[in-house]
Amino acid sequence: MTETIVEMRHITKRFPGIIANDDINLSICKGEIFALLGENGAGKSTLMSMLFGLYEPDQGEFLVRGQQVKIDSPNQAVALDIGMVHQHFQLVSNFTVTENIIMGVETSKRRLGIFPTVDLKNSEKKVAALSEQYGLEVDPRAVIEDLQISERQRVEILKMLYRNAEILIFDEPTAVLTPQEIQFLLQIIRNLRDNGKTVILITHKLDEIKQVADRCAILNRGRLIAVRDVSQTSTQEMARLMVGHDIAFTLDKKPAQFGEEILRVDSLTVENEEKYEAIRQVSFSVHRGEIYALAGVAGNGQVELADAISGLLPVKSGHIYLKQTDITQESVRARNLRGLSYIPEDRQSVGLILDFTLQDNLVLKRYFQPGFRKGQRIKLERWQSYARRLSQVYDIRSANGIQTVVRSMSGGNQQKAIIAREIDQDSDLQIYVQPTRGLDIGAITSIREKLIQERDHGKAILLISLELDEIMACADTIGVLYHGSLQTEARAGELDMETVGAYMMGAQHE
Amino acid sequence: MSKQKGCRPGWFLRLLGYKKTQFLTIPLFSILCSLLAIAILILLIGKNPLTAFQSLLQGSGWLPKPNYAAGKSILTDLLEMLDAYTPMLFASLAVALAFKAGLFNIGVSGQMLLAGFVTTVLVGYQDFPAGLAKPLVVLLGFICGSLVGALIGFLKYRFNVNEVVSSIMLNYIIQYVVGFFIQTRYVDVVSRQSRTINAPARLTLVDVAWGGVKLRLPLLFIPAILMAVLLYFYLKSTVGGYELKAVGLNRQAARYAGIKVGKRLVSSMTLSGGLAGLAGVTYYLGYYASIKPNELASLGFDSIAVSLLGNSHPLGIIFSSLLITSLDKGSTYMNSTVGVRQEVSSLVTGMILLFSACSAYIRYKVDDSLRLSLAGSEGTAAPIQRKTPASGSGKRGKNA
């Protein structure tokens, strides 16, 4: 390798409760494609945000071109010829490509020698030339809102190039793209390198790294695990390094006693709100006494699948059977009453009404039932006693008892409230999406124990999680979702963590 | 954000910050602020603000005037104020109900006008006996208003048309269509308004002689108060009210709970429109007996702020409507006695509404500075509620 362009020495960054980056030492060479690999929350984005001046490190220092630098704002980063393409594009949608690119660095000229105007014509020429040079295929006069997602991303790339960026950081650039677009982007990244640029690629997709990267650094829970030469490392090994060896803990779990089939999903296809097929031809079934865990990286259709089963998203084709009854067209409420509980991923905006009291949230799926009302009038005493019982049994803690406004409760207690409400319906099918996200270890253990306890009571459990150790700890059956389809399905004992990890990354097609 | 006070919060701040009474203290604080602002203004024009405020209360029948013309007394003034109060209460309830369901009914004026016009033509110009005409006016008014409301709700539910846009457009349509018919068919050539309706259809009894004075009796005053109480119970202790609030606070969660969100949106907008219809008939066929063409009642817009001032709470609105109507009705008298022009009373109203519109901001500031000063005195950083961005939750939460 040639000269080092960026060097990081002992970079440490703490956020309340977690260490996002722990003593990281890295050097990146000029003219290479360097990949940062790691699971969600491994600290990849934090590290790069510091290089781009969005955060400042608590300890450690950056060296750019051998000079020690203090990067405390993105402007500073740009001055050092560092550019970043974020996951969410920062473009003005009713401006043209050129207008977006030159914004902030406009060249002006004087019309008729008096009036200062933006020199659009020359800028357009320059943008077109850059687009040509790197094979970006962007029309400088197109208006952003008419462009596809992938084209907008290329505008972001042009924006960096226009500012003479030498070090280009891509934050999960392929998350929003289709397979063909991904190939096109990877080619562009190669072109950038061939023109002497340095590219840093943040990703958790192994196959992309294998295709383009020269070297890759693997992060796990904030620590740098390894730096490898991509050509001499197998995807399996990368997956193993990424997931880490230490599986935090094991749960006391009896062997599963499978009963009759409760949920059957039959070649289900679901479109999300953008009319994109988020779930394609997925089939599986869950039995009494079984925890069926669906693994997958975020955004591979998990939420859409859970929403479709619970009735929040319409089904495009295929069928859903609950206890042998076709519920594909039934309303949310009918499904609930038939025996379906759902702990949604987004607990604050779907699972709870934050401005309601704890009591009113706990009766959210009961209030209409006889016993909870008398004609149109609600039976307040019953609501109160029910809410009191649930908060006692499930140990929900709040400042003002059942009259506490849920918004003011802690995340863990909010989640406990949802789980209490859903489990208490005594439904045969329970869907858990990311049930332990963002909770502390105590709450995590208690929720996982509850899950297994419910299984032992003969419920069918569908667990959807992004965390592999959660899947490995709880599952009786494991399925892996990748790009909306079921990659593989097997008994828990038949798959080890690395294999599941590799399937999640799409490394093992067919 | 920046200032970090180390001292204990003052008593006033603590009083305002006390959560349980905030529903009362914050609006009262807003009113106080606006009265102070107006007092300064009146001082600047060289008058005594206390006499001005006193005359406002005298004019609206709360305090006795020094002398009365023949056939008039404090009761005359009070009942006239209550006659204007009735439509204001209905209109504000209409706004509040929609607001609770998460909708903004800015079309109250249009709904009022349509209800007023249709009932004027169908009942007001007919020779029905009073016992038939009055209930018919109320019923028809309610239906007209609720149909407009239902249309707005349906457009929202079926085509996702923003209710603010559709109700403003409907306001224009109703205003000019009604104006056209009044001017071409029902106009009174002298007053340039619609012809006065026949007495049996009118919802206010005028010139009722009692104890030597002549009084107005707004027949729907008591029903309006009852309606507010009824709505209070509806929202507080019925299944429908619970669902409506759930939809208003979090549509996604309501859907997740199995509530039929579309149905709730349409039905609450229908009810809101119906209440606006009642405001319309008590205004055009009660307080007045004719309609001015090509004009929307400003009351319909004031009601938005009145509802805000009352915290969108039906019982709070009983009082906020009373306050605003009193200020409005007292202004003529203030003008004639103190020489403070009538416009000043509109200024008072405007100020109160402005400050009450800021009540959420005031509450936020109070809570914030309370939190900061408490945190400062304990020497610990206040917990900052931050929504952790769900790294992978993708494209959720965008649907309105």
Side-chain angles (χ1 to χ4, degrees), chain A residues 4 49 63 144 158 166 168 193 203 206 225 261 297 313 318 376 416 435 457 466:
Chain A
T4 300
S49 299
L63 280 79
I144 296 294
L158 269 176
E166 289 295 324
L168 294 89
R193 176 192 52 193
T203 184
L206 291 169
I225 302 295
E261 183 183 81
V297 175
L313 259 187
Q376 270 297 300
K416 275 192 206 163
H457 287 163
L466 304 182

Side-chain angles (χ1 to χ4, degrees), chain A residues 24-195:
Chain A
I24 290 187
N25 293 290
L26 262 185
S27 51
I28 296 164
C29 301
K30 187 169 164 48
E32 72 171 339
I33 300 177
F34 189 87
L36 271 180
L37 180 65
E39 286 187 298
N40 292 308
K44 306 166 298 217
S45 294
T46 312
L47 190 63
M48 285 305 118
S49 299
M50 283 190 283
L51 180 59
F52 191 58
L54 293 168
Y55 301 128
E56 276 186 79
D58 295 335
Q59 278 152 32
E61 58 193 21
F62 288 106
L63 280 79
V64 177
R65 296 182 195 88
Q67 299 279 319
Q68 192 187 331
V69 287
K70 191 167 176 290
I71 309 171
D72 50 16
S73 75
N75 285 339
Q76 192 123 27
V78 171
L80 291 165
D81 298 338
I82 302 173
M84 186 161 179
V85 176
H86 299 272
Q87 262 176 310
H88 301 281
F89 305 146
Q90 287 152 358
L91 298 168
V92 180
S93 61
N94 52 1
F95 271 19
T96 66
V97 168
T98 307
E99 283 167 335
N100 266 288
I101 288 171
I102 64 173
M103 212 186 316
V105 291
E106 307 90 348
T107 43
S108 58
K109 64 173 183 191
R110 290 191 182 273
R111 189 150 288 176
L112 304 175
I114 313 167
F115 306 108
T117 47
V118 174
D119 188 359
L120 259 184
K121 212 169 245 171
N122 276 322
S123 309
E124 267 170 18
K125 269 186 208 148
K126 198 174 158 195
V127 170
L130 278 172
S131 169
E132 177 101 2
Q133 187 187 345
Y134 295 97
L136 290 170
E137 295 179 19
V138 171
D139 173 10
R141 292 183 177 201
V143 177
I144 296 294
E145 59 193 357
D146 300 333
L147 298 183
Q148 307 259 319
I149 298 283
S150 60
E151 292 174 287
R152 291 183 202 191
Q153 189 176 47
R154 302 205 292 270
V155 176
E156 287 280 2
I157 298 174
L158 269 176
K159 216 156 106 183
M160 295 193 296
L161 295 173
Y162 191 85
R163 287 162 176 72
N164 300 316
E166 289 295 324
I167 304 160
L168 294 89
I169 307 168
F170 288 83
D171 188 2
E172 307 262 356
T174 57
V176 288
L177 303 182
T178 66
Q180 290 79 10
E181 290 169 341
I182 289 175
Q183 287 313 315
F184 189 54
L185 177 70
L186 295 180
Q187 187 53 48
I188 291 169
I189 290 177
R190 279 188 210 107
N191 290 348
L192 289 168
R193 176 192 52 193
D194 297 344
N195 278 279

